[in-house]
Amino acid sequence: MKKKKTKKQGKNWKKFWKLGVDEFNTQYFGVSKDGELTVAEGHNSYNIADLATKYGTPLQVVFPFIIEDRLEDLIGYFNAYIKILGYKGKFFYHYPMKVNQNREFILPLISEGANLEVTSANELWLVKKLWEGEKFSGKIRVLCNGPKTDQYLDLIEELRSKGMNIVPIIEGSEEIERISKFKGDIGIRVDLDIKADTHWDKKFDRFGLSEKDVLLLNKMKNLKVMHYHLGSQIKTQKSILEGIKHAFTIYEKLQKIHHNLDTLDIGGGFGIPYEKKNFYTAKNVSNKIIKILKNLSNKAGIKHPNLAVEWGQYVVAPAEITIYKVISEKPILKANANSWYVVDGSFINDLKDTWAIHQKWHAIPANNMDVNLKRVWLAGSTCDSDDKYTAGGNYILLPKLSENKNQFIAVLDTGAYQDALASHHCLLSAPTKIVAQDGMIKIVRKKETAESIGKLFGWTNGEHK
Ligand SMILES: *Cc1c(COP(=O)(O)O)cnc(C)c1O
């Protein structure tokens, strides 16, 4: 069958698919002359359809250079505005490990100067292993959030005694007694009495001490950090900035009680423009944050606080893409889309936010980008009706299928949260995972076999008795 070219031969496909645009984080992506998705790392180029053919689908492709670029830029913005505006505090980036704990994410972050933030004893155990393997310098600081089990606290104390710069953050009132006696810097998390513009639409949350309780704490000489976190994927710049202004009112009061308090940690929440509309940018927001903190602390007559930022999703989401192959097409009657494209992976398993919080993704073809298009919905391979991606009931534009050609679909910005949330509904295999770096490909997770998945469910050593 002859490939049908669209009539608009002159069309700029790169633009059409919203590729090559900094504000969408797609500046690395392009389209080859054969209509295939490409990713450029300096002068190296990766053809995604070729990778999908060679390594099989579903496939996750990780680009460490994107992580490095983004973190370098982010640290650069803050340090530049600190200098330009004459701000006296220092900037610290802490990578929240829960966003993606994979080794191929953590190592490039550390090499670019990230400090860490962990939420559990098990994440901290990984940090311990890195530390023992001398994978990072003694200067790195590790903030410990989340509820502190005895196991977690024991590990924190062990690492502190071995010389790690580790800071437990008091998360609830039952932690105050033990952590305040900690022989090192500590922090406190405040549950700010404001509502940010995020998916979590309730007025209450449960993390940290209330504003009232935090101000009643006895003087603590080792209290260095006031921390808060408003939630992920904050929709507006205003919400981020209002959070900082509000937090500062507490910081100022706390500082008068605990004289060594010198760091405001504004947590995570900086969003990704998944929906490719006007979105705020890190360059602008970092400028505004430093301005606000400078003005407020000058007015209050206190030292400019050091600033810690834990923007996780922002830094890592664009560094991974997930590729599926279309394995069948089924008609849909009377809906916004005309066909289901069934893919050889699962949204419910591999891109769980599709299901959990109705995440919208930037889904594009990885090949045949220049042929006629069709309105479709995507279906996963589990037997679950909810295993689908419909762009919120709207439709996804994808190429019409041709009998003798595979159709690959790339979902962009999948590097945050999806891996640790992933599951094995219908015992489907997780995607194969490869890392593309310096023009070379490394397999970091082979396609799961029936046997390896069976083991997770107690079917060991082939003894299926
Ligand atoms: C989840 C979390 C983050 C990261 O949030 P992002 O939305 O990924 O930036 C940072 N800090 C804390 C305390 C968190 O719980």
Side-chain angles (χ1 to χ4, degrees):
M1 202 172 91
K2 205 167 150 258
K3 190 162 84 177
K4 266 194 259 169
K5 285 269 180 198
T6 138
K7 286 182 193 112
K8 293 183 194 158
Q9 285 287 359
K11 196 150 193 170
N12 183 348
W13 290 104
K14 198 166 141 184
K15 197 166 163 197
F16 180 80
W17 295 110
K18 297 189 165 49
L19 301 174
V21 189
D22 279 33
E23 53 187 295
F24 298 153
N25 307 315
T26 57
Q27 64 268 42
Y28 315 98
F29 295 86
V31 182
S32 76
K33 60 180 185 336
D34 300 327
E36 293 179 338
L37 179 64
T38 59
V39 179
E41 174 193 20
H43 286 170
N44 296 319
S45 177
Y46 306 97
N47 179 309
I48 300 303
D50 287 351
L51 294 179
T53 305
K54 179 161 180 196
Y55 295 97
T57 45
L59 180 70
Q60 291 172 339
V61 194
V62 179
F63 302 101
F65 76 92
I66 295 182
I67 299 175
E68 288 165 9
D69 258 26
R70 292 179 71 73
L71 184 55
E72 193 185 345
D73 284 354
L74 183 66
I75 294 175
Y77 297 145
F78 276 104
N79 284 334
Y81 289 120
I82 280 176
K83 204 164 168 194
I84 293 167
L85 297 165
Y87 190 76
K88 301 284 179 348
K90 287 200 179 108
F91 174 74
F92 296 93
Y93 178 76
H94 282 263
Y95 174 66
M97 254 181 100
K98 77 159 192 279
V99 183
N100 192 320
Q101 301 95 336
N102 281 288
R103 190 181 160 84
E104 61 274 15
F105 280 71
I106 303 292
L107 294 183
L109 286 158
I110 288 175
S111 82
E112 282 303 325
N115 296 282
L116 295 171
E117 185 262 354
V118 300
T119 42
S120 69
N122 292 349
E123 285 181 356
L124 187 56
W125 185 85
L126 293 179
V127 176
K128 175 186 168 173
K129 290 287 139 188
L130 277 173
W131 168 258
E132 288 171 350
E134 299 184 350
K135 289 284 185 198
F136 57 76
S137 83
K139 280 196 212 139
I140 210 167
R141 183 173 63 180
V142 182
L143 302 179
C144 300
N145 268 308
K148 313 293 179 307
T149 57
D150 285 342
Q151 180 205 7
Y152 193 3
L153 282 167
D154 290 347
L155 187 53
I156 291 172
E157 280 159 4
E158 177 197 326
L159 291 171
R160 151 82 196 142
S161 73
K162 288 180 174 160
M164 185 186 283
N165 184 359
I166 186 164
V167 181
I169 309 280
I170 297 169
E171 154 83 33
S173 52
E174 68 295 334
E175 294 178 1
I176 297 171
E177 202 187 319
R178 184 161 170 190
I179 294 183
S180 63
K181 293 196 193 108
F182 184 71
K183 292 193 178 58
D185 295 345
I186 63 169
I188 186 102
R189 178 160 176 173
V190 187
D191 182 1
L192 293 187
D193 197 11
I194 51 169
K195 163 78 195 79
D197 195 1
T198 69
H199 168 77
W200 182 252
D201 57 0
K202 318 290 184 291
K203 282 218 181 69
F204 43 83
D205 78 32
R206 62 178 183 281
F207 306 104
L209 275 74
S210 71
E211 296 183 2
K212 186 165 145 273
D213 288 348
V214 90
L215 291 170
L216 292 174
L217 291 172
N218 292 328
K219 180 168 174 164
M220 290 186 276
K221 280 202 180 122
N222 54 349
L223 182 65
K224 294 281 270 190
V225 181
M226 179 187 133
H227 165 63
Y228 71 90
H229 170 71
L230 293 174
S232 286
Q233 191 64 17
I234 297 173
K235 291 175 193 152
T236 60
Q237 158 176 299
K238 181 161 175 266
S239 217
I240 296 175
L241 301 179
E242 290 302 317
I244 290 173
K245 288 178 196 161
H246 185 82
F248 190 87
T249 63
I250 313 289
Y251 180 87
E252 181 188 347
K253 289 181 194 148
L254 263 188
Q255 217 279 327
K256 298 213 163 96
I257 303 167
H258 313 272
H259 299 302
N260 291 321
L261 179 69
D262 65 3
T263 301
L264 178 65
D265 174 354
I266 66 169
F270 202 96
I272 288 288
Y274 290 105
E275 298 189 46
K276 311 292 168 218
K277 288 183 205 135
N278 288 340
F279 207 73
Y280 57 85
T281 65
K283 195 171 171 201
N284 263 324
V285 174
S286 53
N287 182 7
K288 291 188 171 137
I289 289 175
I290 299 297
K291 269 189 189 146
I292 288 172
L293 286 178
K294 183 181 170 187
N295 290 340
L296 290 176
S297 29
N298 286 353
K299 225 187 262 169
I302 60 172
K303 262 176 73 181
H304 299 169
N306 296 323
L307 173 67
V309 164
E310 303 174 357
W311 295 343
Q313 183 151 337
Y314 168 79
V315 172
V316 301
E320 182 182 293
I321 61 178
T322 303
I323 318 298
Y324 296 111
K325 187 168 79 183
V326 179
I327 52 175
S328 77
E329 177 174 7
K330 307 207 161 161
I332 310 173
L333 302 174
K334 293 188 200 156
N336 286 335
N338 303 316
S339 281
W340 287 108
Y341 278 7
V342 182
V343 302
D344 59 352
S346 160
F347 294 95
I348 234 174
N349 284 348
D350 316 330
L351 296 177
K352 183 139 266 148
D353 280 346
T354 312
W355 181 52
I357 57 171
H358 304 134
Q359 178 70 63
K360 286 193 184 164
W361 304 95
H362 187 190
I364 58 175
N367 60 339
N368 309 325
M369 286 175 121
D370 49 359
V371 310
N372 282 338
L373 302 172
K374 184 161 190 167
R375 294 177 174 200
V376 305
W377 284 346
L378 299 174
S381 277
T382 70
C383 59
D384 210 301
S385 306
D386 280 320
D387 194 352
K388 61 177 174 29
Y389 178 66
T390 64
N394 204 359
Y395 58 84
I396 305 110
L397 271 180
L398 286 174
K400 289 185 176 166
L401 301 182
S402 87
E403 265 169 43
N404 47 11
K405 255 198 131 180
N406 284 328
Q407 180 61 55
F408 297 114
I409 295 164
V411 184
L412 307 190
D413 299 312
T414 61
Y417 296 109
Q418 305 315 299
D419 241 31
L421 290 171
S423 55
H424 281 104
H425 194 21
C426 295
L427 297 194
L428 296 190
S429 302
T432 302
K433 185 174 358 190
I434 60 176
V435 174
Q437 190 168 24
D438 302 325
M440 286 177 292
I441 301 294
K442 196 169 78 187
I443 301 175
V444 289
R445 181 171 64 215
K446 288 188 194 150
K447 188 170 169 73
E448 286 178 309
T449 60
E451 189 174 358
S452 66
I453 298 174
K455 269 187 192 161
L456 300 174
F457 292 79
W459 301 91
T460 49
N461 303 326
E463 285 181 53
H464 300 153
K465 287 179 199 161

